[in-house]
Amino acid sequence: MVSKVLVANRGEIACRILRACNEAGLATVAVFAENDATSLFVELADEAVMLSGETITETYLDQSQILSIAGASGADAIHPGFGFLSERADFARAVTQAGIQWIGPSADAIEKMGDKMTARITMRDAGVPVIPGEEIEQTDEIEALAAIEQASTRVGYPLLLKASSGGGGKGMRAVERPEELLDAARGARREALAAFGDGRVYLERLLTGSKHVEIQVLADRHGRTIHLGERECSVQRRHQKVFEEAPCATMTEEIRAAMGDAAVAAAMAVNYEGAGTVEFLLAPNGEFFFLEMNTRIQVEHPVTELVTGVDIVREQLRIAAGEPMSCGELHIRGHAIEVRLYAEDASKNFLPAIGPLAVFIPPEGPGIRLDTGVRQGDEVTPNYDPMLAKLIVWAPSRIEALQRMRRALDEFVVLGTTTNLRFLRELCDVPDVIDGTTDTTMIDRLWPQGWNPQVPLEIEDAALMAAAIGESAGLHRRSHTSPDAHASAGPVSPFATLNRRFP
Amino acid sequence: MEHQFSGPDGPIDVTVEKRGDEWLLGGRKATIERDGRLKVHLANGEVGYATLAKVGDHWWVHFAGHTFNLERIEPGASQSGNDGGLTAPMPGKVLEVLVDVGQTVESGQTLMVLEAMKMEHRILAATPGTVTEVFFASGDQVQQGSVLLAKTEPED
C-alpha cells in the first residue's frame, strides 16, 4: 500500500510527480531548500517541509534529513525523480530499511547498473552487445592518469571519457587525439569528483555517426517486464540532450524488436522493478550496443507517454504499491518531439544564463504539452540546473510534429533571461532533423565555430523600434509584467477588509 | 523621440515619431495594445505582435519568433570598456588558476577554470600577452562580471 508520497526532488520533475500523485488520490509531501521556498513544486504539494542547509549536499542530497522528514510526516513512499538521490543505492536501501516504499528498482539493481563496469559484465552475460571500453579503478590522480593513458591504446581513438558514477554529461569528455588525453582526463576527473563525489572514470570508443536510441522498460512484481518502444535522443550539445523524439525516424520493426528484447533481457538480468531506460548506440549499419541503463524516470519520458498512451509516472506509483501495471499491448501512435528549454546563451557555447523570468508565456493549442517547474515572475539562479521547461508536441506524423514544434516555438515568449529558444527553432529547419538522419555529433558538425542566430534585418529593426516605443511610452511603468511594478505597488492598506455577506 | 541602444558595432540611434495613437519609424507603424504589447506593421505590409519587458536598462523584445535583449544607453552615459573579456561570465567558484603574474600567455591559452551550475568554464586569453595581476585564488567565489585577471594587450 502507498498512501502518502514524499517527493525527494525539485523543479519540473517534482511538479510532474506531485501532479501524478494528486490524480491518483495520494497525499504528497515536498521537501525544499530555502532558495526554493516560492518555487512552483512547493505549491503543488499537500505539505512542504523546508530542508535546513545551504548547499545541494546539505539539502536535496542529505539522505538522513530527508528520511527523518519522511518519518515525521508519515509518508509511506519516496519518489526520487531524476538526478539528486535517484540512483543512489545506499539511499534506496536506507528508505527500504526504514519501512518506506522506494518508488524505483531495488538497491541491488541500482548498484549493478550504476557501476558502468558491473553493468557491462552483467549485460555481456545476458547476451546484450556492449561497446569496447575499460574502467579505470585507480583513485590516486597520478596512478589514474597513467592507467588512462595505457587503457587509451587498447580502446582506440576517438574515445570518450565518462564519470564512472555519472550522468547528465558531467565529467564527460570526447578525446580526438592522444595529445588531448591528459588535459581531458584531469577535467573529467575533477568534474566527476565535484558532481558525484567519485573521481573514477571510464573510457570507451566513440562510435561516430551513431544514433542515441533508448528503450523505455516497465517491470512489475507480477512477472511482467515489457518495453514501450524507443526514443531517439541523438541531438546533444555538451553531451546533454536537447531534442528527443519517439519513434526513431529510421527505426525498422526488426531492429525495434531486437532492441526491445535486449532491453527487457537487461532489465530481467537485474530483477528490475518500476520504470527504467536502456540506452543504446545504433550504428548506421543497424548494429546496436548497450550504453547504460538509467534506473529512474527519465527527463524525456513524455515523448513515450504521448505515442504509447501510457502514463509512466502513474505506472511507477501503481507498481510501487504492488499492483500489476495497467498497460496492455504496445501500440505506437503518431509522433512526439520534445525540446529542452534551457536558460543559456546558445551563441556563447551554451553558457548558462541567469535573470528574472519577466515574461513567460508558453505556447498553447492542440498536441502541445509543457512540463515545467517555473512560472512568470520566477528568478533563474545559478543554484540549480538551467533547464526551465520541456516542450513536447504530438502529431499524427513526424512531418506534422515538426511543423507543430516550429509553430509552438515561435509562440513561446520568454523575456528577462537568455534562453535557447531560437536555437531550438533553427534546429527544426536543419535538413538532418527534417530527414531524421541526426547523429550524436550533429551540432558540432553543423556549427563547428559555434552557433549564431540568423536574424532578418527587418525583424531586428522592428525590435529596436518596439524598444524605443516602449521607452518613449513608459510601457515598463505600466506593464503588469515589469518587476518595477511590484516595487511600486506600495504597502498594503491597513484598512482593507473582507466583507462577506451571509444570506 | 530619440533613443540609443548598444549594438555589436557601437551605439544604434532609433528615433520614433508619435502621431495620434500611432508610432512611426521609416515605413513601419505600431500601436500599443490593451495588454501592453505592440501591434507592428512592417514596411512590407506584414503584421506582427511584439511583447516587451524592461529589466534594468535592458529592453527585452519578442517579435516574429525572435527574442532580443537591447541595452538602452542612458543619455549622457559613457559606455563601459572591455578589458579583453577576462571577467566571470557567471557567478561561480574558481576551480583552478593556471597562470602566475609575469607569465607570458598565448592567445587561446586557458588562464583559469571556473565552476558554475555544475559545469566547468575555461577563461581563455583572447590575445597573447603577459599576466599582470591575478585577482582570485582557487576556491574563491566570484560574481558575474568580476574581473578575474589582468594582462597586457598586444601593441599595434
Side-chain angles (χ1 to χ4, degrees), chain A residues 427-446:
Chain A
L427 265 186
C428 297
D429 290 334
V430 167
D432 279 350
V433 170
I434 293 170
D435 299 340
T437 54
T438 43
D439 69 45
T440 52
T441 59
M442 192 189 80
I443 289 180
D444 294 335
R445 208 161 19 82
L446 282 176

Side-chain angles (χ1 to χ4, degrees), chain A residues 377-436:
Chain A
D378 282 0
E379 192 80 24
V380 181
T381 69
N383 300 325
Y384 301 105
D385 191 272
M387 190 175 84
L388 298 178
K390 307 181 307 206
L391 172 64
I392 313 111
V393 301
W394 179 91
S397 69
R398 190 171 186 277
I399 289 173
E400 291 159 293
L402 261 179
Q403 290 168 337
R404 182 161 282 167
M405 183 58 88
R406 290 191 193 105
R407 189 268 293 174
L409 286 168
D410 280 340
E411 280 183 17
F412 210 146
V413 184
V414 182
L415 302 181
T417 300
T418 305
T419 72
N420 64 341
L421 262 179
R422 193 64 209 169
F423 175 74
L424 296 171
R425 176 63 186 81
E426 283 190 19
L427 265 186
C428 297
D429 290 334
V430 167
D432 279 350
V433 170
I434 293 170
D435 299 340

Side-chain angles (χ1 to χ4, degrees), chain A residues 170 173 187 190-191 194 238 351-354 356 359 381-382 384 386 410 412-418 422 454-456 458-463 465-473 475-476 478 483, chain B residues 1 3 5 12 14 16 23-25 28-30 32-33 36 38 42-43 50-55 59-68 70 72 89-91 96 115 117-122 144:
Chain A
K170 280 145 199 160
R173 294 282 191 286
R190 188 165 45 216
E191 239 176 62
R238 295 178 22 159
L351 188 71
I354 54 168
V359 175
T381 69
Y384 301 105
D410 280 340
F412 210 146
V413 184
V414 182
L415 302 181
T417 300
T418 305
R422 193 64 209 169
Q454 305 292 314
V455 188
E458 179 62 15
I459 301 295
E460 195 173 330
D461 285 353
M465 178 192 186
I469 296 169
E471 189 67 42
S472 300
L475 284 180
H476 49 299
R478 77 177 217 203
Chain B
M1 273 170 262
H3 299 284
F5 297 94
I12 303 169
V14 186
V16 287
W23 294 82
L24 307 172
L25 173 61
R28 308 165 197 88
K29 61 178 188 180
I32 298 171
E33 298 287 293
L38 298 181
L42 298 180
T51 312
L52 289 82
K54 194 178 186 192
V55 178
W59 274 99
W60 289 77
V61 180
H62 179 269
F63 185 72
H66 290 266
T67 307
F68 300 86
L70 304 165
R72 179 170 177 262
M90 294 281 303
E96 208 177 342
E115 186 197 59
M117 286 183 163
K118 306 279 133 207
M119 299 291 283
E120 283 191 7
H121 300 285
R122 288 168 176 269
Q144 182 167 16

Side-chain angles (χ1 to χ4, degrees), chain A residues 110-236:
Chain A
I110 297 173
E111 234 152 38
K112 279 205 176 112
M113 287 302 185
D115 190 80
K116 292 195 169 47
M117 200 62 201
T118 317
R120 278 171 60 84
I121 295 165
T122 312
M123 287 308 98
R124 215 162 35 204
D125 293 350
V128 178
V130 298
I131 308 176
E134 277 186 45
E135 178 90 0
I136 305 301
E137 287 295 342
Q138 284 80 352
T139 48
D140 174 75
E141 173 93 1
I142 293 166
E143 287 176 20
L145 290 177
I148 289 168
E149 256 191 315
Q150 282 180 3
S152 72
T153 60
R154 291 186 291 272
V155 171
Y157 287 88
L159 60 81
L160 201 58
L161 284 161
K162 294 168 145 185
S164 291
S165 48
K170 280 145 199 160
M172 203 184 267
R173 294 282 191 286
V175 188
E176 300 288 333
R177 283 176 296 278
E179 51 270 31
E180 298 166 2
L181 180 70
L182 284 181
D183 220 24
R186 280 192 203 101
R189 280 177 49 83
R190 188 165 45 216
E191 239 176 62
L193 201 61
F196 313 107
D198 176 2
R200 286 180 309 144
V201 295
Y202 175 82
L203 275 73
E204 76 183 16
R205 175 84 62 78
L206 187 61
L207 290 166
T208 44
S210 299
K211 283 177 170 294
H212 176 116
V213 178
E214 57 190 33
I215 302 277
Q216 175 74 51
V217 294
L218 274 182
D220 64 17
R221 283 177 221 158
H222 298 262
R224 271 189 91 198
T225 300
I226 64 162
H227 74 87
L228 295 176
E230 80 283 359
R231 295 187 282 262
E232 180 182 342
C233 323
S234 299
V235 184
Q236 308 183 358

Side-chain angles (χ1 to χ4, degrees), chain A residues 275-292:
Chain A
T277 298
V278 186
E279 298 189 333
F280 296 97
L281 270 187
L282 176 61
N285 64 2
E287 261 189 299
F288 59 85
F289 301 94
F290 172 80
L291 270 181
E292 60 182 40

Side-chain angles (χ1 to χ4, degrees), chain B residues 94 97 112 134-138 140-143 146-149:
Chain B
V94 177
V97 181
M112 206 180 255
V134 177
F135 298 106
F136 293 94
S138 164
D140 287 351
Q141 294 287 336
V142 294
Q143 295 304 312
S146 300
V147 180
L148 303 170
L149 310 104

